Amino acid sequence: MEYTRLGQSGLQVSRIALGCMSFGDSDRGNHAWSLGETESEPLFRQAVELGITFWDTANVYSAGSSEEIVGRAIKTYTRREDVVLATKVHGRMHDGPGGAGLSRKAILEQIDASLSRLGTDYVDLYQIHRFDPDVPVEETMEALHDVVKAGKARYIGASSMWAWQFATMQHAADLGGWTRFVSMQDQYSLMQREEEREMFGLLAAQGVGAIPWSPLARGRLARPWGTETKRTGSDAFGQTLFSDRDKPIADAVEQVAGARGVPMAQVALAWVLRHPVVSAPIVGPTKEHHLADAVAALDVHLTDDEVATLEGAYTPREPTGF
C-alpha cells in the first residue's frame, strides 16, 4: 500500500479508499446488490490486511445500515485510531426539517445520528453529499465549522457539484473564518472525465484532494462491455451515468489490459491514479479480487502510448451524478 496526504491537508490516507456503499442491509434503502454483515466480513478483513486505512460511507447508504456495519467492523478487525473514517450528510433520512439537506438543523442532527450508528465519538472526514441550493452557503459552512470545533469531525469535504458552487462555499468559509473543505469526492473515470475541465484545476489551485467515486464506471471498466452483474442489472442510479456510446472506451481498456496480461480494473484504476490531484479513488468491493486488483493498480505504470489508446475514444458530455 502507498499513503499520501489528502490534498495539502495533514491527513494521511491510503491511496485506495474502501467504498462502503457495498455494505448494508438490502432490505433497507434501494441497494438490492449490497452485502449484508456476514457477507462483508471477509472484505473488511482483507482491507485491513492490504493496508487500506481510508474507509468511506454515508448516512443514506442502505438507510444507515452501512454506517452500523462499518462501525462494528472497525471494532472487530482493526482499531479506531488506525482508520481514516469518512461519512456524508445531505440525503433524505426521515421526514421533517432535519431529515435531509444542509441546513444547520440537518447537519447538527445528522452528525449525531451518524456517530451513534458508527459507534464513535468523531469522524475524520465529514462530507456534504451534494450541493443544497435551498440553504445559504454561509449557514452550511458555519454549521460544518461548528461540527469540527465540537470535536465531532476532524476535516470536512464535499462531493459532486459544479466548480463555481464549490468555489463559492470555500470563499464563504474564508470570509467567515470557518473550516475549509480539504477534499472533493467527485465522479471520475475514463468514461466520465468532465471534472478535468474546471473542477480539477480549482482543486489543484486550492490544495484540495480528489477522492473519485465510481473510478471503474460502476464496474463497466472492469469487464468486457455487455457483461451483466447483479449490480448492473439492479442499480437504477448507475444506469443513468453511462450509455452505449461508452463501449469503445471499455474496449480500449480491454485491449490495453489484454496486451499487459492484467485485469481490466487494474488498467482503469492506474489511469485514474495518474492524475496529480487524485489522492485516493474509492473502490466499492463485492468480491475479494476487487480490492486485490485495486491495490495492484498502484504498480501499473501506463506508457504514453497506452494512455493515448485509453483516452482516444472519449467524447465531451454532460457531467452526471450531481
Side-chain angles (χ1 to χ4, degrees), residues 273-286:
L273 285 159
R274 288 179 75 252
H275 200 291
V277 81
V278 171
S279 295
I282 299 169
V283 177
T286 55

PDB file of all heavy atoms in Angstrom, residues 273-286:
ATOM      1  N   LEU A 273      -5.345   6.972 -11.069  1.00  0.00           N
ATOM      2  CA  LEU A 273      -4.292   7.285 -10.104  1.00  0.00           C
ATOM      3  C   LEU A 273      -3.206   8.185 -10.685  1.00  0.00           C
ATOM      4  O   LEU A 273      -2.471   8.831  -9.932  1.00  0.00           O
ATOM      5  CB  LEU A 273      -3.668   5.986  -9.592  1.00  0.00           C
ATOM      6  CG  LEU A 273      -4.513   5.181  -8.590  1.00  0.00           C
ATOM      7  CD1 LEU A 273      -4.061   3.730  -8.545  1.00  0.00           C
ATOM      8  CD2 LEU A 273      -4.427   5.808  -7.204  1.00  0.00           C
ATOM      9  N   ARG A 274      -3.099   8.253 -12.016  1.00  0.00           N
ATOM     10  CA  ARG A 274      -2.069   9.078 -12.657  1.00  0.00           C
ATOM     11  C   ARG A 274      -2.289  10.559 -12.423  1.00  0.00           C
ATOM     12  O   ARG A 274      -1.341  11.346 -12.431  1.00  0.00           O
ATOM     13  CB  ARG A 274      -2.054   8.846 -14.172  1.00  0.00           C
ATOM     14  CG  ARG A 274      -1.517   7.526 -14.636  1.00  0.00           C
ATOM     15  CD  ARG A 274      -1.583   7.408 -16.155  1.00  0.00           C
ATOM     16  NE  ARG A 274      -0.546   8.216 -16.807  1.00  0.00           N
ATOM     17  CZ  ARG A 274      -0.764   9.334 -17.475  1.00  0.00           C
ATOM     18  NH1 ARG A 274      -1.971   9.838 -17.566  1.00  0.00           N
ATOM     19  NH2 ARG A 274       0.237   9.979 -18.058  1.00  0.00           N
ATOM     20  N   HIS A 275      -3.548  10.982 -12.260  1.00  0.00           N
ATOM     21  CA  HIS A 275      -3.812  12.418 -12.196  1.00  0.00           C
ATOM     22  C   HIS A 275      -3.278  12.986 -10.885  1.00  0.00           C
ATOM     23  O   HIS A 275      -3.596  12.486  -9.810  1.00  0.00           O
ATOM     24  CB  HIS A 275      -5.305  12.704 -12.330  1.00  0.00           C
ATOM     25  CG  HIS A 275      -5.585  14.110 -12.744  1.00  0.00           C
ATOM     26  ND1 HIS A 275      -5.353  15.196 -11.915  1.00  0.00           N
ATOM     27  CD2 HIS A 275      -6.028  14.625 -13.918  1.00  0.00           C
ATOM     28  CE1 HIS A 275      -5.664  16.299 -12.551  1.00  0.00           C
ATOM     29  NE2 HIS A 275      -6.078  15.992 -13.777  1.00  0.00           N
ATOM     30  N   PRO A 276      -2.485  14.050 -10.922  1.00  0.00           N
ATOM     31  CA  PRO A 276      -1.835  14.543  -9.703  1.00  0.00           C
ATOM     32  C   PRO A 276      -2.787  15.064  -8.642  1.00  0.00           C
ATOM     33  O   PRO A 276      -2.405  15.122  -7.464  1.00  0.00           O
ATOM     34  CB  PRO A 276      -0.917  15.655 -10.215  1.00  0.00           C
ATOM     35  CG  PRO A 276      -1.455  16.030 -11.558  1.00  0.00           C
ATOM     36  CD  PRO A 276      -2.036  14.778 -12.126  1.00  0.00           C
ATOM     37  N   VAL A 277      -4.006  15.438  -8.987  1.00  0.00           N
ATOM     38  CA  VAL A 277      -4.929  15.949  -7.978  1.00  0.00           C
ATOM     39  C   VAL A 277      -5.658  14.819  -7.246  1.00  0.00           C
ATOM     40  O   VAL A 277      -6.270  15.045  -6.201  1.00  0.00           O
ATOM     41  CB  VAL A 277      -5.949  16.923  -8.618  1.00  0.00           C
ATOM     42  CG1 VAL A 277      -7.089  16.175  -9.306  1.00  0.00           C
ATOM     43  CG2 VAL A 277      -6.510  17.888  -7.585  1.00  0.00           C
ATOM     44  N   VAL A 278      -5.570  13.591  -7.765  1.00  0.00           N
ATOM     45  CA  VAL A 278      -6.262  12.451  -7.158  1.00  0.00           C
ATOM     46  C   VAL A 278      -5.462  11.926  -5.969  1.00  0.00           C
ATOM     47  O   VAL A 278      -4.310  11.511  -6.112  1.00  0.00           O
ATOM     48  CB  VAL A 278      -6.491  11.329  -8.187  1.00  0.00           C
ATOM     49  CG1 VAL A 278      -7.005  10.063  -7.500  1.00  0.00           C
ATOM     50  CG2 VAL A 278      -7.479  11.783  -9.257  1.00  0.00           C
ATOM     51  N   SER A 279      -6.092  11.953  -4.802  1.00  0.00           N
ATOM     52  CA  SER A 279      -5.458  11.384  -3.609  1.00  0.00           C
ATOM     53  C   SER A 279      -5.739   9.889  -3.504  1.00  0.00           C
ATOM     54  O   SER A 279      -4.818   9.093  -3.288  1.00  0.00           O
ATOM     55  CB  SER A 279      -5.969  12.095  -2.352  1.00  0.00           C
ATOM     56  OG  SER A 279      -5.584  13.451  -2.325  1.00  0.00           O
ATOM     57  N   ALA A 280      -7.013   9.501  -3.642  1.00  0.00           N
ATOM     58  CA  ALA A 280      -7.373   8.096  -3.450  1.00  0.00           C
ATOM     59  C   ALA A 280      -8.705   7.798  -4.116  1.00  0.00           C
ATOM     60  O   ALA A 280      -9.742   8.292  -3.664  1.00  0.00           O
ATOM     61  CB  ALA A 280      -7.457   7.775  -1.961  1.00  0.00           C
ATOM     62  N   PRO A 281      -8.722   7.000  -5.188  1.00  0.00           N
ATOM     63  CA  PRO A 281     -10.001   6.572  -5.740  1.00  0.00           C
ATOM     64  C   PRO A 281     -10.719   5.637  -4.774  1.00  0.00           C
ATOM     65  O   PRO A 281     -10.088   4.899  -4.010  1.00  0.00           O
ATOM     66  CB  PRO A 281      -9.610   5.840  -7.025  1.00  0.00           C
ATOM     67  CG  PRO A 281      -8.181   5.452  -6.842  1.00  0.00           C
ATOM     68  CD  PRO A 281      -7.578   6.483  -5.944  1.00  0.00           C
ATOM     69  N   ILE A 282     -12.044   5.701  -4.803  1.00  0.00           N
ATOM     70  CA  ILE A 282     -12.873   4.905  -3.894  1.00  0.00           C
ATOM     71  C   ILE A 282     -13.339   3.643  -4.614  1.00  0.00           C
ATOM     72  O   ILE A 282     -13.986   3.719  -5.666  1.00  0.00           O
ATOM     73  CB  ILE A 282     -14.074   5.721  -3.399  1.00  0.00           C
ATOM     74  CG1 ILE A 282     -13.583   6.948  -2.625  1.00  0.00           C
ATOM     75  CG2 ILE A 282     -14.991   4.875  -2.536  1.00  0.00           C
ATOM     76  CD1 ILE A 282     -14.669   7.945  -2.317  1.00  0.00           C
ATOM     77  N   VAL A 283     -13.016   2.496  -4.052  1.00  0.00           N
ATOM     78  CA  VAL A 283     -13.362   1.207  -4.651  1.00  0.00           C
ATOM     79  C   VAL A 283     -14.393   0.521  -3.757  1.00  0.00           C
ATOM     80  O   VAL A 283     -14.136   0.283  -2.578  1.00  0.00           O
ATOM     81  CB  VAL A 283     -12.110   0.323  -4.812  1.00  0.00           C
ATOM     82  CG1 VAL A 283     -12.498  -1.055  -5.366  1.00  0.00           C
ATOM     83  CG2 VAL A 283     -11.097   1.008  -5.722  1.00  0.00           C
ATOM     84  N   GLY A 284     -15.546   0.209  -4.326  1.00  0.00           N
ATOM     85  CA  GLY A 284     -16.609  -0.463  -3.579  1.00  0.00           C
ATOM     86  C   GLY A 284     -16.636  -1.944  -3.901  1.00  0.00           C
ATOM     87  O   GLY A 284     -17.246  -2.350  -4.899  1.00  0.00           O
ATOM     88  N   PRO A 285     -15.995  -2.777  -3.109  1.00  0.00           N
ATOM     89  CA  PRO A 285     -15.862  -4.196  -3.459  1.00  0.00           C
ATOM     90  C   PRO A 285     -17.098  -5.020  -3.088  1.00  0.00           C
ATOM     91  O   PRO A 285     -17.789  -4.739  -2.114  1.00  0.00           O
ATOM     92  CB  PRO A 285     -14.665  -4.638  -2.612  1.00  0.00           C
ATOM     93  CG  PRO A 285     -14.800  -3.808  -1.356  1.00  0.00           C
ATOM     94  CD  PRO A 285     -15.324  -2.468  -1.829  1.00  0.00           C
ATOM     95  N   THR A 286     -17.340  -6.036  -3.883  1.00  0.00           N
ATOM     96  CA  THR A 286     -18.306  -7.075  -3.517  1.00  0.00           C
ATOM     97  C   THR A 286     -17.668  -8.460  -3.590  1.00  0.00           C
ATOM     98  O   THR A 286     -18.269  -9.438  -3.161  1.00  0.00           O
ATOM     99  CB  THR A 286     -19.541  -7.036  -4.438  1.00  0.00           C
ATOM    100  OG1 THR A 286     -19.117  -7.125  -5.808  1.00  0.00           O
ATOM    101  CG2 THR A 286     -20.332  -5.749  -4.224  1.00  0.00           C
TER     102      THR A 286
END
